Amino acid sequence: GAVVSQHPSWVICKSGTSVKIECRSLDFQATTMFWYRQFPKQSLMLMATSNEGSKATYEQGVEKDKFLINHASLTLSTLTVTSAHPEDSSFYICSAREPGNTEAFFGQGTRLTVV
Amino acid sequence: LAKTTQPISMDSYEGQEVNITCSHNNIATNDYITWYQQFPSQGPRFIIQGYKTKVTNEVASLFIPADRKSSTLSLPRVSLSDTAVYYCLVGDRGSTLGRLYFGRGTQLTVWP
């Protein structure tokens, strides 16, 4: 199946700093990618849809100025958590769907810890 | 999007068949049913997808009754490595373009 890769797998940052997470589709082009957040023992929550060459679409309740999304190429989307605080500590996961394929492929996730 | 209801947890022993049922009473005509598996600290992995009757692949089977208001994921002869959270999702696989709304999922624990 198609491969979606995230980097880094885990990151620790100080409160108030910004952190960038990368999501790459390794063997296919993805005009659309998706970002999810998952807190411990909870389900995945869709945060936003990343659109190549245009603005991201955010789900209700997700702050677009805090979670900056850039989809500059057909294989790369980035999520930047700005001015991170401890409550932003979570597991962030991206996904993409290969054109013509009905299943979504997920990255391995990024564990963000804000101290 | 149709809401799904699954058991929060299930337990099984190695070698047994496990059936996880998902209720989706408000499923729309264009909706498909998709199941994902998630291990701790990993992204979900696609298991199977179906629209009606029965679908089988090398990993699982999916049974969907005629009214499509529920579905059952069947895992044959589970092993310890099948311990994971299983999510049932319902949606129009065309228009959603990959936007997925996850429910609480079912924590399956397989014991030796």
Side-chain angles (χ1 to χ4, degrees):
Chain A
V3 178
V4 175
S5 178
Q6 279 182 245
H7 178 81
S9 296
W10 59 270
V11 58
I12 301 173
C13 71
K14 291 184 177 181
S15 186
T17 62
S18 296
V19 175
K20 179 183 288 187
I21 302 170
E22 294 185 347
C23 178
R24 294 180 184 273
S25 55
L26 297 186
D27 50 2
F28 67 99
Q29 293 182 334
T31 56
T32 308
M33 292 185 177
F34 306 89
W35 288 95
Y36 297 81
R37 179 167 59 180
Q38 186 175 34
F39 292 108
K41 303 295 184 182
Q42 294 187 24
S43 186
L44 285 81
M45 185 193 78
L46 178 65
M47 299 175 66
T49 302
S50 173
N51 303 300
E52 188 269 334
S54 65
K55 292 182 179 180
T57 304
Y58 292 82
E59 296 296 307
Q60 189 173 8
V62 178
E63 301 175 61
K64 62 179 182 180
D65 294 330
K66 181 167 185 63
F67 299 100
L68 301 179
I69 292 173
N70 184 276
H71 195 149
S73 77
L74 288 172
T75 60
L76 173 64
S77 174
T78 61
L79 169 68
T80 301
V81 182
T82 64
S83 186
H85 288 91
E87 56 265 32
D88 297 323
S89 297
S90 188
F91 192 53
Y92 291 87
I93 310 168
C94 70
S95 79
R97 200 167 77 174
E98 186 178 21
N101 198 326
T102 59
E103 67 178 272
F105 296 94
F106 288 81
Q108 72 271 37
T110 297
R111 176 75 58 191
L112 170 63
T113 302
V114 185
V115 298
Chain B
L1 293 174
K3 180 181 177 180
T4 60
T5 303
Q6 304 174 233
I8 294 176
S9 64
M10 293 184 69
D11 290 282
S12 182
Y13 291 97
E14 283 190 292
Q16 290 188 335
E17 177 185 74
V18 171
N19 296 308
I20 306 175
T21 298
C22 177
S23 297
H24 28 79
N25 292 317
N26 297 321
I27 189 169
T29 303
N30 295 332
D31 286 344
Y32 282 73
I33 301 152
T34 310
W35 286 80
Y36 284 85
Q37 174 193 55
Q38 186 183 28
F39 297 112
S41 297
Q42 293 187 27
R45 182 176 73 100
F46 173 91
I47 300 176
I48 198 166
Q49 183 182 75
Y51 183 81
K52 62 180 180 180
T53 62
K54 177 184 176 181
V55 179
T56 298
N57 61 22
E58 65 277 7
V59 177
S61 294
L62 179 60
F63 299 92
I64 306 168
D67 65 5
R68 304 200 325 122
K69 294 185 182 300
S70 67
S71 59
T72 299
L73 174 71
S74 181
L75 304 173
R77 297 179 297 282
V78 295
S79 64
L80 297 177
S81 62
D82 292 317
T83 294
V85 178
Y86 292 81
Y87 295 98
C88 163
L89 289 88
V90 173
D92 181 342
R93 66 179 185 176
S95 64
T96 54
L97 297 177
R99 295 170 65 201
L100 300 175
Y101 297 92
F102 287 77
R104 298 184 64 177
T106 297
Q107 171 65 58
L108 171 65
T109 303
V110 180
W111 302 94

